[in-house]
DNA sequence: ACTTGCAATGAAACCGTTTTCATAACATGC
DNA sequence: GCATGTTATGAAAACGGTTTCATTGCAAGT
């Protein structure tokens, strides 16, 4: 591959001039510029990114840490990130962390070793869990679909509590009282927030959430199927299930149908996220929309802001959610 | 951030020695090594990747070009790639090409400008479409889930023709004769290969595939729903639909059910890919398994091979597919 | 004792750009 | 005509490591 030296020789100028021809053509006389460009063209010269980046000590790259790239929701967030990154000339390094803390820590180390300019975290862990020098760590970091709103770095997420509360309220307003919770992974903040939201709605309706109506599990189809199985066998009296993700809900639907239940008449089920498949279920899934792509876009936009040192506006946006009513829920007789 | 010079000074050695301490400790005396490591630790020194990579002219990064990162199938392939990449110390740059040729061309240019060592293409386009100097282009390239087996670079895919043929044969063996095709995007090679497979099976059974039984569309839920709509209104006599992807099939199921059809009794539908959601459909989808993660793994393994100049074995592996029989298909009376 | 070979280390070149600083040429204002 | 400013360009330093090559000290072989 031709180098800047070759071009400069062919054009009869110095390497500096060639460099300027690409970075700021207005600095050159029209005549010189033409000659340089012609020489570059002839030699098919392209500047070495490696050398450029090394010189300027920026990678123009941001690292995205995603717990599971094959998960539809995460994939959509990444898609949103990607769009904005491309628009702004950033490259995306993605690592599938498998929710492993060490992998995540290695990720943030990548910016300390100049392999990425910043990191967007999609996992649960806040920066503080990933770096020993807690508050001394100043790397560009943005946390998407996380939960911490009191951090010093940008976070973009939804109000899980409110979204969950509104979903539960909807179910309660339709007369449901024995409501099972198909929760996600126990101990996860997002799980806790949604659970709190569910509980708040119930208490507003004067019903207390019994422990035996809660079943934890993975945020996945299989997780939902299993949780539903256990919950169904333990509490056959439930008239509805609040699932903490669409995948969980769809898994539960499968289980319910395998058990011969007719949905939604025998059992109402709601999801969370509004992934596309929910719309194509049988019955189509009532859920709460989480703007996944948008979250990604906003996260990357914020990242651009911090990388350019021109962050402005809200640093902890809470993106709007929305109830999506379809047919997986039915009204139930008010208890006497 | 501390630099190698600082460490060398603190340890009282030359920078070269510090460098060796990290790259090949066996070259140092135990005593020196200990001193260097201690100094590095004390200063929290980490070598600058940027400088290292620049020096050795490798990025340890491979670019994966995916037409749509939010698509479940692609996401699974990426997941497989990621696993092997991580195992081998490679980073993954991913760009969502939106199936855009210019974006893809820019992608392959990234290896010419030393931004990536090689590229794994998940889109349809072969290298030859993306580079003017067709055969002169020698960048490390591997094509996954593509179709060309006569290229000089590695390709990893399935036998679309055979897989499609076996699926169609299955349907035919169950008595179906009026079979609609929910095809993918017209003009795509993969679409053509699967169509050829379908047709071959039918001809083996003495039935010819009428044009009016073929409907093209996007490889998506919405695409499937629309195609099914059109096909159903045009050819109400079809007893089965062969879809070219699970998403198409699931979209079609939705349409069929909205129209009041009972599945599989009124209409059998088959998919292609075996994405997880197919298992949770109602009815559960009969489909043909395509080993997406495995394809990614093999692709990345091959990439490692070419990057290390030690490619061995089959360079055009055809991964095995498998019929997955569930409940979206039923037997039909043999025509008299 | 004298070469030979090997292990441990350091000095310095090198990777391919960008950027700073100096310079030359030329126009401008007085 | 002379100081002054401006524009176009080049020389060389700098970025932070790795690697080559030379050197030194020491053990082994003859």
């Amino acid at each position: 591959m031709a180098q800047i030296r070759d071009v400069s020789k062919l054009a009869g100028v110095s390497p500096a001039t060639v460099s300027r021809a690409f970075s700021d053509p207005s600095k050159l006389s029209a005549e010189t510029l033409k000659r340089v460009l012609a020489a570059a063209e002839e030699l098919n010269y392209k500047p070495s990114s490696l050398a450029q980046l090394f010189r300027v000590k920026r990678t123009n790259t941001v690292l995205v840490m995603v717990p599971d790239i094959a998960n539809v929701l995460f994939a959509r967030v990444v898609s949103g990130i990607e769009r904005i990154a491309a628009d702004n000339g950033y490259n995306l390094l993605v690592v599938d962390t498998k929710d492993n803390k060490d992998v995540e820590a290695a990720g943030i180390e990548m910016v300390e070793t100049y392999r990425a300019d910043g990191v967007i975290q999609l996992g649960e862990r806040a920066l503080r869990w990933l770096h020993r020098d807690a508050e001394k760590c100043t790397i560009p970091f943005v946390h998407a679909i996380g939960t911490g709103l009191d951090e010093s770095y940008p976070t973009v997420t939804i109000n899980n509590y409110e979204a969950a509360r509104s979903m539960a309220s909807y179910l309660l307003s339709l007369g449901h009282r024995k409501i099972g919770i198909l929760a996600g992974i126990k101990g996860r903040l997002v799980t806790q927030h949604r659970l709190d939201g569910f509980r708040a709605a119930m208490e507003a309706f004067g019903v207390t959430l019994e422990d035996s109506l809660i079943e934890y599990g993975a945020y996945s189809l299989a997780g939902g199927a299993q949780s539903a199985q256990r919950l169904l066998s333990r509490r056959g009296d439930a008239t509805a299930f609040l699932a903490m993700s669409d995948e969980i809900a769809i898994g539960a639907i499968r289980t319910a149908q395998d058990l011969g239940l007719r949905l939604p008449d025998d059992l109402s089920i709601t999801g969370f996220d509004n992934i596309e498949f929910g719309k194509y279920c049988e019955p189509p899934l009532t859920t709460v929309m989480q703007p996944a792509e948008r979250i990604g876009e906003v996260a990357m936009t914020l990242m651009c802001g911090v990388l350019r040192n021109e962050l402005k506006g809200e640093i902890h946006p809470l993106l709007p959610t929305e109830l999506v009513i379809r047919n997986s829920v039915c009204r139930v007789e008010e208890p006497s």
Side-chain angles (χ1 to χ4, degrees), chain A residues 73 85 97 265 309:
Chain A
L73 190 78
T97 63
D265 310 77
N309 264 324

Side-chain angles (χ1 to χ4, degrees), chain A residues 73-90:
Chain A
L73 190 78
F74 290 135
R76 280 171 59 202
V77 178
V78 172
S79 175
I81 293 175
E82 214 276 343
R83 187 170 319 136
I84 304 297
D87 288 352
N88 287 272
Y90 284 101

